[in-house]
């Protein structure tokens, strides 16, 4: 009897350890890559990665980007953590926004996406992307911008759990050019390197 109850206790303890580990992973704070300030000018010594993002819901989202030749995963936020982007005329928050970060030149891959609380920066969800998908790779070149595309990120409740989706959207070259004028006026379309299929 003691042997059975001891095994049962170990099984229960194991479940608690797994649950605790998962809780620790999900509650970990996300370290965001700094978003390029609006007034920044292009630097020929560094590369840039940009995307157009629309967030629906209270959580914020980000892509995990990793150098193909090794290195830590860098977290590219969909929205500027310094504050919302506002329309000058209406004063309302702009639903679609260009976000840009600096990265050293090299070959990179989208390795994950994460959701996190905007105030606490605590991770609420994470999805690792398959490493064997070459379509998620892109090249960062000094003095140029690698444009990942336009994405809508959303979540909803299904029963007791949250469900998350990140969906690519259509965007034209003219639409991107207009958004760049607002978000990054010193960056022009002639230094943009779009990933295949990211501009329609």
């Amino acid at each position: 009897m003691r042997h059975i109850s001891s095994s049962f206790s170990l099984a229960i303890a194991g479940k608690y350890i797994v649950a605790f580990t998962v809780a620790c992973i999900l509650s970990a704070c996300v370290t965001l890559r700094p978003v390029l300030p609006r007034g920044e000018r292009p630097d020929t010594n560094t590369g840039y990665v940009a995307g157009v993002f629309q967030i629906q819901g209270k959580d914020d989202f980000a892509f995990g980007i990793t150098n193909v030749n090794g290195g830590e995963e860098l977290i590219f936020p969909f929205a500027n953590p310094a504050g919302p982007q506002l329309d000058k005329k209406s004063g309302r928050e702009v639903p679609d926004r260009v976000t840009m970060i600096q990265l050293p030149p090299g070959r990179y891959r989208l390795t994950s996406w994460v959701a996190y609380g905007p105030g606490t920066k605590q991770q609420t969800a994470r999805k690792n992307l398959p490493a064997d998908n070459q379509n998620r790779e892109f090249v960062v070149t000094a003095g140029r911008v690698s444009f990942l595309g336009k994405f809508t990120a959303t979540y909803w409740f299904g029963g007791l759990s949250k469900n998350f989706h990140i969906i690519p959207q259509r965007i034209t070259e003219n639409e991107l050019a207009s958004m760049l004028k607002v978000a990054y006026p010193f960056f022009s379309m002639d230094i943009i390197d779009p990933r295949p299929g990211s501009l329609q």
Side-chain angles (χ1 to χ4, degrees):
M1 242 1 209
R2 285 182 184 173
H3 179 70
I4 292 173
S5 91
S6 166
S7 298
F8 182 71
S9 297
L10 286 174
I12 291 175
K15 288 181 182 178
Y16 279 116
I17 290 170
V18 169
F20 177 75
T21 304
V22 170
C24 286
I25 290 171
L26 286 179
S27 65
C29 287
V30 177
T31 303
L32 304 173
R33 190 79 174 171
V35 171
L36 200 68
R38 184 178 183 275
E40 199 78 10
R41 294 177 184 273
D43 183 347
T44 56
N45 297 314
T46 189
Y48 302 90
V49 178
V52 173
F53 305 106
Q54 184 179 63
I55 298 175
Q56 299 171 350
K58 294 182 180 178
D59 283 23
D60 278 340
F61 293 81
F63 276 136
I65 298 175
T66 306
N67 192 303
V68 171
N69 296 319
E72 65 177 334
E73 185 178 60
L74 306 169
I75 305 299
F76 173 24
F78 285 11
N80 189 338
Q85 184 177 319
L86 302 178
D87 182 86
K88 290 182 179 178
K89 293 180 181 177
S90 67
R92 295 180 181 172
E93 188 171 347
V94 179
D96 297 342
R97 65 189 74 187
V98 182
T99 305
M100 194 181 304
I101 61 170
Q102 287 182 323
L103 280 182
R107 182 174 289 277
Y108 292 84
R109 180 186 291 122
L110 294 176
T111 46
S112 69
W113 61 258
V114 296
Y116 59 94
T120 62
K121 301 294 184 292
Q122 285 192 337
Q123 183 175 295
T124 54
R126 176 185 174 94
K127 181 177 181 180
N128 292 323
L129 303 175
D132 59 352
N133 192 328
Q134 300 299 315
N135 292 333
R136 294 195 177 95
E137 290 189 10
F138 59 95
V139 176
V140 175
T141 305
R144 301 189 66 81
V145 181
S146 296
F147 179 69
L148 300 181
K150 179 180 178 180
F151 301 88
T152 297
T154 185
Y155 78 88
W156 72 96
F157 282 98
L160 298 175
S161 63
K162 281 184 181 179
N163 297 290
F164 297 83
H165 270 305
I166 295 179
I167 303 169
Q169 303 288 335
R170 294 172 60 88
I171 184 171
T172 67
E173 189 173 327
N174 288 339
E175 288 172 328
L176 177 58
S178 297
M179 291 180 187
L180 276 176
K181 285 180 183 177
V182 175
Y184 297 102
F186 298 110
F187 285 76
S188 57
M189 286 298 296
D190 62 342
I191 62 169
I192 301 289
D193 293 326
R195 290 177 68 219
S198 64
L199 290 178
Q200 305 297 326

